[in-house]
Amino acid sequence: MRLAALTSFVAYVALAAFLAFSLGTARGDATADFGRLLDESWDADMRADPLWATQTGDHRFDDRLPDLSMEAVKRRIAEKKALGERLAAIDRGALPRAEQIDYDIFARLLADDLAEATFETYLMPITNRGGFHTEFPELYKRLTLVSAKDYENYIARLAAFGTYAD
């Protein structure tokens, strides 16, 4: 009888250790996957809107303007849909509580972006409240123009304005 109890106890401890390890691994995988997803989303957003990237301190795209062509807009919408699918594949419950909140916020922002895309608001670059045509002339006020490279980047953006406006 004692041997059976000891065997059961050992089996229980082994099962508990296995489950704890599995949960830790699942939690680690979910956290890593979610972190990668957020990083990739941020990078895509900075690439898609170089003006916003500059304002947030990301200077990798300082010589560019956003690509507002229909092809680029449709591609970004498809990328957002793919992000939503990847997000749904991450087990929210395996994330720590703080990351579950981040998950919920990101899911909401993503859903809002996709819902807005269904109304094709990207077809209205000019509204009664403003647009690229009123913001672009003020661009120099939001830039740090110190080095020669800063001025070269600004000149590249000025040169690209025709395509941007088209």
Side-chain angles (χ1 to χ4, degrees):
M1 188 63 129
R2 292 178 109 182
L3 183 59
L6 182 60
T7 304
S8 294
F9 177 73
V10 170
Y12 173 76
V13 169
L15 179 62
F18 172 76
L19 291 175
F21 176 77
S22 296
L23 180 60
T25 302
R27 182 168 289 223
D29 290 347
T31 297
D33 291 346
F34 184 56
R36 273 191 301 277
L37 183 73
L38 291 179
D39 288 345
E40 290 171 22
S41 176
W42 177 261
D43 192 56
D45 286 347
M46 295 301 101
R47 186 174 284 104
D49 191 347
L51 296 172
W52 176 244
T54 298
Q55 286 183 303
T56 62
D58 184 339
H59 298 286
R60 294 176 292 163
F61 314 106
D62 280 355
D63 61 337
R64 302 177 201 164
L65 293 173
D67 182 352
L68 301 179
S69 68
M70 289 305 296
E71 296 82 21
V73 170
K74 298 290 184 183
R75 184 181 66 250
R76 285 192 294 272
I77 292 169
E79 288 170 358
K80 294 265 183 191
K81 286 179 182 175
L83 280 174
E85 291 169 4
R86 286 178 55 201
L87 182 66
I90 295 172
D91 180 5
R92 180 188 176 281
L95 296 170
R97 180 71 182 130
E99 288 184 14
Q100 288 179 5
I101 294 168
D102 292 342
Y103 180 105
D104 294 342
I105 292 169
F106 184 71
R108 173 64 186 265
L109 292 172
L110 199 54
D112 287 351
D113 285 349
L114 291 171
E116 184 176 310
T118 64
F119 293 105
E120 299 181 330
T121 57
Y122 51 84
L123 295 176
M124 299 184 307
I126 300 172
T127 69
N128 64 330
R129 302 175 91 192
F132 73 91
H133 64 295
T134 60
E135 296 165 3
F136 191 81
E138 302 295 318
L139 177 62
Y140 74 94
K141 293 179 182 179
R142 294 178 285 166
L143 301 177
T144 303
L145 298 171
V146 178
S147 69
K149 183 67 176 164
D150 295 335
Y151 283 96
E152 289 168 2
N153 289 336
Y154 181 54
I155 290 168
R157 282 179 164 169
L158 291 173
F161 182 74
T163 302
Y164 180 59
D166 288 345

